[in-house]
Structure formats: structure tokens, C-alpha cells
Amino acid sequence: MSGRNPSLTPPADAAAPVRHPDAPAPGELLGAHYEHCFGCGAGQAHGLHLEARAGDGVSVTAEFTVRTAHQGAPGLAHGGVLATALDETLGSLNWLLRVIAVTGRLETDYLLPVPVDTVLHLSAEVTAVAGRKIYSRAVGRIGGPEGPVAVRAEALFIEVKVDHFIENGRPEEIRAAMADPDQVRRARAFEVNP
């Protein structure tokens, strides 16, 4: 997979990723960054409700159960939903770097069908950092964390400032998130890919 797309290949002078000293501890559940996020938020009836945990180094693991609302072909997960699960998992990596970043490019390979009621076991890691660019990869397995790879992805995230969301988001959601009296929840609403 690596090297196929030049925009997903880190430059020769890219640095190894460094876990931020204040990052969640390995094994810690990251929780939803925003209640209405389709990937991780509890406020989305048909969302993925993906749960990610911090791993060692700059890695995470996650799981989500493919439900009837996630199907494309009868009884099988929609490819876009699987790409969303990979994107959400990859976006969670930014919590370990303690940066705000958005997806710049996501390249997904589909290797096996993923049936409804399947638990997709995801793992992701940052492979390199070059300036504002964060390079990462992820796999999704069926049948357990060591099961066969059903989907995989490589991604490029771009570090942004919170102004990116304030200037481009819908004003009513931005106002609601900014007005949240819980300072931690207010900050986390803008932590990962929208």
C-alpha cells in the first residue's frame, strides 16, 4: 500500500511521530470528541458510535459494530461507512499528538466484505510528521483484533487552527459548542477531523 500515491508518502526529511506528554495513557478510552459527530458521537442515532482507545506510541485501536443502518448492499456494510470508520480512527490519532488536524487525503482499500452485525476491529498509527502534515495508516479486521484484514487506509492529515472550524462551520453549531460551560468538552469539540 505504501508508496502508491506520492501525496501519501512522507518526504525524506519527515520526523518520527512523538506522543505528547499529556496524551491519554495507553488503554484509555478516548470518548467522543463531539456528541453530534457521525463517527464517535452518541447524539447520532445512525452514527458509528466508534470507540477508540489510546495505544502505545502514537497508535489507537477502535471498534464499531456494523448495524442495519450502515449497509450498502443487502446485509453488507456500505463502503463509505467503512471509509468513515477508518477516517474516524485515523483522526483519533491526533489526540495523541495534541494537535487539531483535518483529513487532507484518505486512500482506502477494500479487501473483504463486512457483513451487518460484524464488529470491525480497527488499529491505526501515525507513521511520520512533516511540518503541518501528519502521515498515518489504519487497518480494519473482522473476527477479532488479529482476524483477516477487511479494509485498510493511508491518510494525510493537515494541522489547522480552531479558526478553520469557526470560519467554515455552520454558525448555530459553532455557537452551541463554544457556549458549552464544560471547558474540556468545548475544547474537544474542535480536536479532530470534522
Side-chain angles (χ1 to χ4, degrees):
M1 190 165 57
S2 184
R4 287 187 323 193
N5 188 318
S7 67
L8 294 173
T9 302
D13 63 347
V18 177
R19 183 188 191 101
H20 192 279
D22 295 330
E28 187 176 325
L29 184 65
L30 298 178
H33 72 95
Y34 178 54
E35 179 185 357
H36 300 291
C37 173
F38 181 79
C40 65
Q44 288 287 344
H46 298 296
L48 304 185
H49 302 158
L50 187 135
E51 293 189 346
R53 290 189 180 277
D56 292 324
V58 187
S59 70
V60 298
T61 59
E63 291 183 358
F64 98 94
T65 301
V66 178
R67 296 179 297 168
T68 302
H70 303 141
Q71 64 189 319
L76 297 174
H78 188 288
V81 169
L82 297 175
T84 300
L86 289 161
D87 185 49
E88 184 69 26
T89 304
L90 289 157
S92 295
L93 291 165
N94 297 313
W95 294 355
L96 304 180
L97 299 172
R98 297 296 293 246
V99 299
I100 300 170
V102 297
T103 309
R105 184 169 185 87
L106 176 69
E107 189 168 302
T108 306
D109 295 314
Y110 301 92
L111 306 167
L112 295 172
V114 180
V116 169
D117 295 327
T118 296
V119 176
L120 190 64
H121 300 267
L122 298 131
S123 60
E125 66 179 344
V126 174
T127 58
V129 177
R132 294 177 44 225
K133 295 181 178 182
I134 302 163
Y135 298 85
S136 53
R137 62 180 168 223
V139 297
R141 298 173 182 272
I142 54 178
E146 302 301 320
V149 175
V151 291
R152 62 185 177 200
E154 285 189 88
L156 170 65
F157 279 75
I158 308 296
E159 185 176 350
V160 296
K161 301 295 181 206
V162 74
D163 293 352
H164 166 84
F165 302 96
I166 294 169
E167 293 168 4
N168 296 294
R170 208 164 61 159
E172 50 267 36
E173 278 89 358
I174 297 298
R175 278 194 299 273
M178 296 296 277
D180 191 324
D182 184 315
Q183 185 176 357
V184 172
R185 249 194 340 251
R186 184 172 58 238
R188 287 194 70 193
F190 303 100
E191 276 187 348
V192 298
N193 187 40

